[in-house]
Amino acid sequence: PRVNTSVSSDDLLLEDLETEGERQLKSLLQHQLDTSVSIEQCKSKRRCFAPAAFYKPFGEEAAGALSLSQFQALQESDKETASLRELGLSDAEILLWK
């Protein structure tokens, strides 16, 4: 049962309150117990996952003492490389692009 905000908190018993977690659990349980599923419903819920992100740290390029502007230029270059990698380009194609 939902709590009416106009009712004072003294009149409510804690056992009568339904938390958001309990509501979520009930919803999940009802969804799990519902066995009337069609192939079309399963297809509509199919999820496509993106490929895993590839992280390559600065490494030797950032070793040693760098000024702020040098580090920012290196960081911008790394962002560009990461965005090209997200587009599906290989390392050889990225080098050719640059």
Side-chain angles (χ1 to χ4, degrees), residues 60-78:
E60 294 178 8
E61 301 157 348
L66 295 177
S67 68
L68 178 59
S69 59
Q70 290 173 325
F71 183 77
Q72 287 173 335
L74 182 62
Q75 200 172 26
E76 286 300 317
S77 172
D78 187 61

Side-chain angles (χ1 to χ4, degrees), residues 28-45:
L28 288 172
L29 179 63
Q30 289 170 353
H31 180 69
Q32 189 174 11
L33 294 176
D34 182 21
T35 57
S36 59
V37 180
S38 68
I39 298 293
E40 288 76 26
Q41 286 175 329
C42 290
K43 284 183 182 179
S44 71
K45 290 184 181 180

Side-chain angles (χ1 to χ4, degrees), residues 5-24:
T5 56
S6 64
V7 179
S8 71
S9 60
D10 296 335
D11 297 332
L12 295 173
L13 295 175
L14 288 177
E15 294 92 27
D16 295 338
L17 296 177
E18 182 180 21
T19 64
E20 181 64 28
E22 290 171 336
R23 265 183 259 154
Q24 289 289 333

